[in-house]
Amino acid sequence: MIDVDYHAQQDWGIDALHVGKTSGLGGLTLYLDGKEYPVQSPAGEGHVQFEHRILGTGPVRSAVEILAKGVFPQAPEMVVTIRCIIQAGHPETEIQVRLPEGFEHAQLAPGLMNLEGGHHFQTEQGAIGAWGYHGDDIGEIGLAIKVQSRQSDGGPTEPLLQEVVTLEHERRLLTNPLSGRPLHHKYWILGTWRRGMQYPVAPSPENWKTMVERWEEQFHVLRSIEVR
């Protein structure tokens, strides 16, 4: 087997976190009628085919669009559209998902890979996160996902969260379908790398959870971006 630099772009993408066959940070799985449909082809292996295009790059925001075909074997021509958007001054990436006609009520389940010796948590506002070791070359990292919220009548926002699905190699945030709003589902991913922090620093899993909670407290300033 040829040793391939995991930082180098492959036909199927980059496995910068050695995600293997997991969802890594925010990899998407759809659930329909109790059956799961991964919007993934780990290491380029699988029946899902991807196309992508850059929607825009600049000092304020950048966005890329990914088209996934073959997600639903019973309708391989149907396309799941994913848009990934970053904004200057924001640590998170916004993920917008458009489901094809006839599959609007599929449930989103973005996932987080399990980390060696990992500490996993769920915040009161609905985000899930993990802190742990990820190999000698990477070290300790922190991962987190937050799903879209809805505004209840006259009340606070509520996460569209049904349950956390715990699997051998990852955890997923399973959301409820967006009744009456089938076009766009949204979630946000957030990550950190201990070696990328300013030294001296010795963060703990509790520190990462606090950082995620503080990020959620500022979540009201996040604005959904419509990229045309």
Side-chain angles (χ1 to χ4, degrees):
M1 180 176 179
I2 300 176
D3 186 18
V4 178
D5 181 2
Y6 67 89
H7 286 301
Q9 179 81 24
Q10 309 299 316
D11 291 339
W12 47 264
I14 296 177
D15 192 359
L17 285 179
H18 309 312
V19 300
K21 295 186 177 181
T22 75
S23 294
L25 171 55
L28 183 61
T29 299
L30 299 175
Y31 282 76
L32 184 65
D33 299 326
K35 185 177 180 180
E36 63 179 57
Y37 296 86
V39 191
Q40 306 173 38
S41 285
E45 300 176 0
H47 59 272
V48 181
Q49 301 296 318
F50 295 95
E51 299 177 8
H52 73 277
R53 66 187 180 107
I54 297 174
L55 299 178
T57 60
V60 177
R61 68 181 182 184
S62 296
V64 62
E65 181 177 78
I66 302 168
L67 304 179
K69 300 179 180 179
V71 174
F72 304 102
Q74 66 272 39
E77 73 284 358
M78 292 297 182
V79 176
V80 176
T81 303
I82 301 173
R83 288 180 173 181
C84 307
I85 304 166
I86 57 173
Q87 296 186 71
H90 288 260
E92 74 285 337
T93 298
E94 177 179 325
I95 312 295
Q96 299 179 355
V97 182
R98 177 173 294 197
L99 302 177
E101 183 178 354
F103 297 89
E104 297 96 333
H105 299 295
Q107 297 170 267
L108 270 66
L112 288 182
M113 64 188 299
N114 293 337
L115 301 173
E116 181 180 342
H119 174 83
H120 302 93
F121 59 85
Q122 182 175 1
T123 68
E124 292 184 359
Q125 297 187 51
I128 62 171
W131 177 274
Y133 188 74
H134 195 47
D136 294 339
D137 53 344
I138 295 176
E140 291 178 298
I141 59 174
L143 310 173
I145 297 176
K146 182 178 179 64
V147 300
Q148 182 179 12
S149 297
R150 60 185 170 191
Q151 184 75 38
S152 59
D153 295 338
T157 57
E158 300 174 348
L160 293 173
L161 172 64
Q162 180 173 351
E163 62 177 305
V164 177
V165 179
T166 301
L167 305 173
E168 181 180 1
H169 300 296
E170 65 179 74
R171 292 188 307 150
R172 298 172 182 167
L173 266 178
L174 180 62
T175 67
N176 290 319
L178 287 182
S179 177
R181 297 181 58 190
L183 292 182
H184 285 291
H185 304 253
K186 303 185 185 76
Y187 62 96
W188 292 261
I189 60 175
L190 183 69
T192 193
W193 181 37
R194 178 177 177 179
R195 293 178 184 173
M197 296 179 178
Q198 185 174 357
Y199 285 94
V201 64
S204 68
E206 291 74 21
N207 294 146
W208 175 235
K209 181 180 180 182
T210 298
M211 291 173 64
V212 172
E213 290 173 336
R214 289 176 177 173
W215 169 66
E216 285 187 290
E217 290 173 359
Q218 301 299 318
F219 203 73
H220 65 278
V221 305
L222 300 179
R223 294 291 183 265
S224 176
I225 308 169
E226 297 297 335
V227 180
R228 300 183 183 278

